[in-house]
Amino acid sequence: QVQLVESGGGLVQAGGSLRLSCAASGSIFSVDVMGWYRQAPGQQRELVATCTSGSTNYADSVKGRFTISRDNAKNAVHLQMNSLKPDDTAVYYCNAILRIGSSDSPSGFYWGQGTQVTVSS
């Protein structure tokens, strides 16, 4: 089994910063992609940022403010969020595409439980 455990959410004023972290555990053979998505009330879940071994990808709305990074040795991913805006308020979900057990296993898509980020104006 695989678990993704997030930490670091909270309440912050507009213009402030937060750092989210997520660690994957279990019988993991390899991790292809780790990333962050968010879902605001009444809206669909949307991509925030993803990170492979060689590249990063950001939603236009967070470019220049958020930075994603990975710690491959710990199967962890972090999201540094600066210059936060009220529109960034959402539940943030960690995501990983990874293989369990061996290279013969198919890649699976896994989610964390979510962490609330609230930005006050």
Side-chain angles (χ1 to χ4, degrees), residues 47-72:
L47 181 147
V48 176
T50 59
C51 185
T52 67
S53 58
S55 66
T56 57
N57 180 51
Y58 295 93
D60 288 343
S61 59
V62 306
K63 282 181 181 176
R65 299 188 298 122
F66 291 10
T67 302
I68 190 170
S69 61
R70 276 177 64 174
D71 183 340
N72 292 324

Side-chain angles (χ1 to χ4, degrees), residues 15-54:
S17 298
L18 283 174
R19 180 177 170 85
L20 305 183
S21 294
C22 171
S25 63
S27 301
I28 298 170
F29 176 78
S30 64
V31 180
D32 297 327
V33 184
M34 294 194 81
W36 293 92
Y37 289 69
R38 67 186 181 187
Q39 187 167 18
Q43 297 187 20
Q44 290 187 333
R45 192 172 297 189
E46 63 176 4
L47 181 147
V48 176
T50 59
C51 185
T52 67
S53 58

Side-chain angles (χ1 to χ4, degrees), residues 81-111:
M81 305 185 294
N82 299 327
S83 302
L84 283 160
K85 305 175 182 179
D87 284 349
D88 295 317
T89 296
V91 177
Y92 283 69
Y93 295 91
C94 176
N95 167 262
I97 301 175
L98 54 83
R99 300 175 191 268
I100 299 175
S102 73
S103 60
D104 294 332
S105 301
S107 293
F109 208 77
Y110 296 87
W111 292 101

